[in-house]
């Protein structure tokens, strides 16, 4: 940190921990934007604007018309919230919606039962806590996502939030990139262990220290799911921090210029990268990069430091015996011990741990939280984690910095509100998109399958025996539920107006990113859960000791699993 | 609005649906051009034959084919306070209107994961 940034940080002790502190310029901008939308809504209601004219305007403010009502998608930039913001979200859920909200794989929050009339007021309430719904929709650079353990993880090399914030500022209302051929998604990781699915994004960035400790980036491009699932191409290594914006500008500019606009399914950068080939795309980006006014896009260290200084940082100080105290609590309480094993992540600071709050109760709706739970999570964040809350792309919640000697108390409080399910990374930790229960694009329901599976595998002992197994469910080919990247993927398909489910096996979102392979014909709704249970049984029978499902599948291939699923008398 | 999975066939019968402009909620065209949030209040129309609709523009035309009704209703959607008017094919084996596809059944009867949100258990409010 530069001396200047250090003084800035000292001068403003009340910065929110974990995310960027807005100033009056940011606030005035949001306020103007809310009033602009208020006027647009009034003109829509009066009929001065037709639906066709209004639709792009409401989408620019995150407002969709879904199956049952309007849906509002609120951005949670790089997944970071503070307790005050969470309480406001709870208030909105209670006042304007049906008492719950839905956390998504894009680190957003969706409300499903919003009234058009109320939306300007809701946006004003969000603005009052420095939140908005800008760029949660539309053909622009969407909410930049990052690692849920940013700034806390033991394996982290660079804190990716600062660069995610820089990209947020760079991309917000970027005049050249407000009307791209399609939506555009960027994820940033600062750890060598990919927890952001960098290889499944339009652009994935992995930050690391380069020569002299200066931050550099490995760049992936052209990954994505949807109807053409592709693992991103490794475009280059060691992109200097100073050139980050210039290089991304060149990357997106090439896409904006050459990306197809005649067919929305082919309008993604992944299609362009495939069409040009990695070499062809790289050559165009390099040419653009060489030709552009680099000084204009230079990201100097002082700017990075100034942005970093607007992040509040926790004052980490755990008592010397914290680790021993945690070990004693675990030894004394088996249920707590299990939760501590599955639902925590190693912290870089001794005496601390990151705690994951599962939003996947047995038989529950993945990602849903009631207003009361949101309030409670805010309270617990204040008590145990500096008021800081993170949303994960697995639809769970993280308290980043929990003292080890306080973890047991946290767990007891979570248990009291039904938020202590010990299933992170296990078969119960299912990602499911909203599917046909809410989404107007869906072909089949995702949530009931997730509910039935998590109820079926509710036993914590069984879940731990099965081990690391990621089930991901999408209700249509758009793949919001990441089914292509699931160890077991489930895709809803429509056959003559009825729901069917297609299974894919072998996908992965991590460093070993892979697109799952279709196992065979789609199954009717009432056969799907049983089929998956047989598939899991086949794995348990055939695995080697300690082997993950994914590795057994990779070792043995599909035939065995195909038999388990389809060969029923 | 992007509407998929709501296919209609040549034969059978249909009802007309839309979303209310102010709150986005699903409504069904009932008698006399009133919009109801209950599908059991919906007026049932015989589907058009292979030739398509009869003449267009008849106000809610109770005698018009479904296509001409949809066209007429779509033309006055701003005045009605609705958006996204389209027709929904019904099952032909039910006494009350039941949509043929899962999608439209979920629209009509509420999200299956929240039975308490079914339109039938909520207070009804007709618009217009
Ligand atoms: C219910 C309203 C939603 C609508 C209308 C919607 C729409 C879409 C569409 C059209 C696509 C395809 C984009 C493409 O061509 O790649 C897509 C993909 C996606 N959506 Fe959604 N979505 C919705 C909800 C969600 C939710 C709740 C999540 C998170 C849980 C989500 C996360 C994603 C992701 C991660 C993709 C994958 C895109 C890619 O990488 O190619 N969406 N969505
Ligand atoms: S995958 Fe399809 S069904 Fe699921 S939320 Fe995305 S668009 Fe809707």
């Amino acid at each position: 940190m530069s001396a200047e940034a250090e003084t800035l940080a000292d001068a403003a002790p009340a910065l929110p921990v974990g995310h960027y502190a807005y100033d009056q310029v940011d606030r005035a901008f949001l306020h103007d934007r809310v009033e602009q939308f208020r006027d647009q809504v009034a003109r829509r209601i009066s009929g001065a604007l037709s639906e066709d004219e209004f639709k792009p305007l409401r989408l620019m403010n995150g407002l969709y018309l879904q199956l049952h009502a309007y849906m509002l998608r609120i951005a949670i930039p790089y997944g970071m919230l503070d307790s005050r913001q969470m309480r406001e979200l709870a208030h909105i859920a209670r006042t304007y919606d049906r008492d719950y909200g839905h956390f998504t794989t894009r680190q957003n929050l969706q409300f499903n039962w919003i009234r058009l009339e109320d939306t300007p007021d809701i946006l004003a309430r969000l603005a009052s806590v420095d939140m908005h719904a800008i760029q949660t929709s539309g053909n622009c650079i969407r909410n930049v996502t990052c690692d849920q353990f940013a700034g806390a993880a033991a394996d982290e090399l660079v804190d990716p939030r600062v660069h995610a914030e820089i990209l947020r500022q760079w991309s917000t209302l970027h005049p050249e990139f407000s009307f791209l051929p399609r939506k555009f998604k960027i994820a940033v990781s600062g750890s060598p262990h990919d927890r952001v699915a960098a290889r499944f994004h339009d652009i994935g960035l992995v930050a690391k220290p380069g020569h002299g400790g200066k931050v550099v980036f490995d760049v992936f491009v052209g990954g994505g799911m949807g109807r053409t699932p592709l693992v991103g191409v490794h475009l280059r290594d060691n992109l200097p921090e100073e050139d980050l914006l210039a290089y991304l500008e060149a990357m997106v500019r090439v896409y904006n210029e050459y990306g197809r606009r005649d067919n929305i399914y082919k309008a993604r950068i992944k299609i362009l990268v495939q069409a040009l080939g990695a070499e062809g795309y790289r050559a165009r980006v390099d040419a653009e990069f060489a030709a552009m006014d680099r000084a204009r896009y230079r990201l100097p260290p002082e700017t990075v430091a100034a942005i970093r200084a607007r992040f509040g940082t926790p004052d980490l100080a755990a008592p010397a015996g914290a680790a021993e105290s945690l070990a004693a609590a675990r030894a004394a309480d088996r249920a707590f011990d299990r939760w501590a094993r599955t639902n925590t992540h190693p912290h870089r600071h001794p005496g601390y741990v990151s705690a994951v709050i599962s939003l996947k109760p047995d038989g529950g709706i993945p990602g849903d939280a009631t207003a009361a739970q949101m309030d409670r999570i805010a309270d617990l964040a204040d008590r145990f984690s500096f008021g800081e809350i993170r949303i994960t792309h697995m639809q769970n919640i993280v308290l980043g910095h929990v003292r080890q000697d306080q973890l047991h108390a946290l767990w007891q409080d979570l248990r009291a509100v039904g938020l202590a399910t010990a299933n992170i990374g296990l078969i119960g930790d299912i990602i499911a998109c909203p599917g046909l229960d809410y989404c107007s694009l869906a072909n089949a329901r995702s949530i009931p399958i997730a509910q039935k599976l998590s109820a079926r595998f509710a036993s914590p002992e069984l879940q731990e025996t099965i081990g690391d197994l990621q089930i991901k469910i999408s209700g249509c080919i758009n793949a919001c539920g990441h089914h292509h990247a699931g160890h077991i993927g489930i895709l809803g398909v429509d056959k003559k107006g009825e729901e069917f489910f297609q299974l894919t096996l072998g996908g992965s979102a991590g460093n070993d990113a892979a697109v799952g392979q279709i196992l065979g014909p789609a199954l009717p709704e009432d056969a799907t859960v049983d089929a998956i249970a047989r598939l899991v049984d086949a794995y348990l029978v055939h695995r080697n000791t300690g082997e993950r499902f994914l590795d057994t599948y990779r070792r043995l291939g599909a035939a065995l699993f195909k038999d388990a699923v389809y060969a029923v008398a | 609005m992007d509407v998929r999975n709501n296919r209609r066939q040549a034969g059978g019968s249909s009802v007309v649906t839309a979303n209310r402009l102010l709150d986005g909620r699903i409504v069904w065209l009932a008698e006399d051009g009133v919009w109801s949030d209950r599908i059991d209040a919906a007026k049932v129309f015989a589907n058009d034959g292979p030739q398509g609709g009869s003449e267009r523009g008849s106000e809610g035309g109770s005698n018009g084919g479904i296509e001409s009704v949809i066209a007429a209703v779509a033309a006055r959607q701003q005045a009605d306070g609705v958006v996204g008017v389209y027709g929904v094919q019904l099952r032909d084996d039910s006494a009350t209107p039941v949509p043929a596809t899962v999608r439209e059944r979920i629209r009509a009867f509420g999200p299956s994961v929240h039975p308490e949100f079914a339109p039938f258990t909520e207070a009804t409010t007709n618009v217009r």
Side-chain angles (χ1 to χ4, degrees), chain A residues 55 65-66 77 90 113 165 243 280 341 368 396 407 409 430 488 490 524 526 542:
Chain A
K55 185 176 170 181
L65 184 52
Q66 282 297 345
W113 303 90
E165 172 61 31
D243 288 334
R341 190 159 58 241
D368 273 12
N396 294 311
L407 192 67
I430 299 168
I488 299 177
I490 305 176
D526 56 7
H542 290 96

Side-chain angles (χ1 to χ4, degrees), chain A residues 237-543:
Chain A
D237 280 333
N238 301 319
L239 172 67
E241 184 183 69
E242 287 202 347
D243 288 334
L244 176 67
L245 295 183
Y247 195 73
L248 289 193
E249 187 94 11
M251 285 177 77
V252 185
R253 196 173 275 176
V254 167
Y255 161 64
N256 203 18
E257 184 171 352
Y258 296 99
R260 289 179 61 171
R261 291 172 193 263
D262 57 319
N263 176 341
I264 60 162
Y265 304 117
K266 299 198 180 244
R268 302 294 299 260
I269 195 172
K270 60 190 172 187
I271 305 292
L272 179 67
V273 171
Q274 295 297 310
L276 298 175
E279 289 310 323
Y281 173 74
R282 187 182 292 120
R284 279 180 173 74
V285 172
D286 287 345
E288 181 64 40
F289 186 59
M292 67 200 285
D293 176 3
R294 291 263 280 287
R296 214 180 123 201
Y297 296 98
R298 199 176 81 94
L299 179 61
E302 308 82 63
T303 304
V304 179
I307 296 214
R308 182 173 288 117
R310 299 264 289 267
F311 279 79
T313 48
D315 183 12
L316 298 174
E324 290 72 25
S325 155
L326 171 59
R330 289 181 66 162
D333 185 336
R334 286 191 53 198
F336 170 61
D337 180 53
R338 185 191 309 282
W339 180 84
R341 190 159 58 241
T342 52
N343 290 42
T344 60
H345 196 267
H347 199 283
R348 62 183 158 82
H349 198 279
Y352 280 84
V353 71
S354 295
V356 187
I357 302 174
S358 171
L359 290 183
K360 327 275 181 74
D362 302 333
I365 299 177
D368 273 12
T370 63
Q373 285 176 328
M374 288 189 237
D375 274 338
R376 197 52 191 259
I377 290 167
D379 294 345
L380 294 174
D382 280 339
R383 264 179 66 205
F384 294 104
S385 194
F386 307 91
E388 182 204 84
I389 299 159
R390 297 118 183 275
I391 312 306
T392 83
H393 89 276
M394 299 285 296
Q395 304 179 282
N396 294 311
I397 286 180
V398 167
L399 300 185
H401 321 279
V402 181
R403 260 168 57 179
Q404 294 188 354
D405 56 321
Q406 295 182 339
L407 192 67
H408 189 240
L410 168 65
W411 173 76
Q412 284 173 312
D413 283 0
L414 287 172
R415 203 165 52 153
V417 281
L419 288 171
T421 316
N423 62 4
I424 297 305
L426 304 178
I427 194 170
D429 189 7
I430 299 168
I431 290 184
C433 80
L436 197 42
D437 281 303
Y438 295 102
C439 177
S440 58
L441 302 178
N443 287 322
R445 286 171 295 165
S446 313
I447 296 168
I449 300 282
Q451 290 180 295
K452 286 177 202 165
L453 282 169
S454 80
R456 176 85 158 239
F457 293 102
S459 154
E461 291 79 15
L462 177 59
Q463 291 206 42
E464 275 208 289
T465 307
I466 295 168
D468 180 1
L469 206 178
Q470 291 171 9
I471 299 186
K472 306 191 185 205
I473 313 175
S474 304
C476 82
I477 199 84
N478 285 328
C480 299
H482 294 199
H483 65 276
H484 298 295
H487 301 170
I488 299 177
I490 305 176
L491 164 65
V493 292
D494 166 73
K495 290 193 181 176
K496 299 195 168 68
E498 297 301 324
E499 301 163 287
F500 278 74
F501 294 89
Q502 191 175 70
L503 305 185
T504 53
L505 298 185
S508 169
N511 290 53
D512 59 352
V515 173
Q517 298 296 309
I518 295 172
L519 190 64
L523 305 160
E525 199 266 346
D526 56 7
T528 303
V529 172
D530 286 339
I532 288 168
R534 290 196 299 276
L535 205 156
V536 172
D537 282 343
Y539 153 66
L540 290 176
V541 168
H542 290 96
R543 72 172 169 189

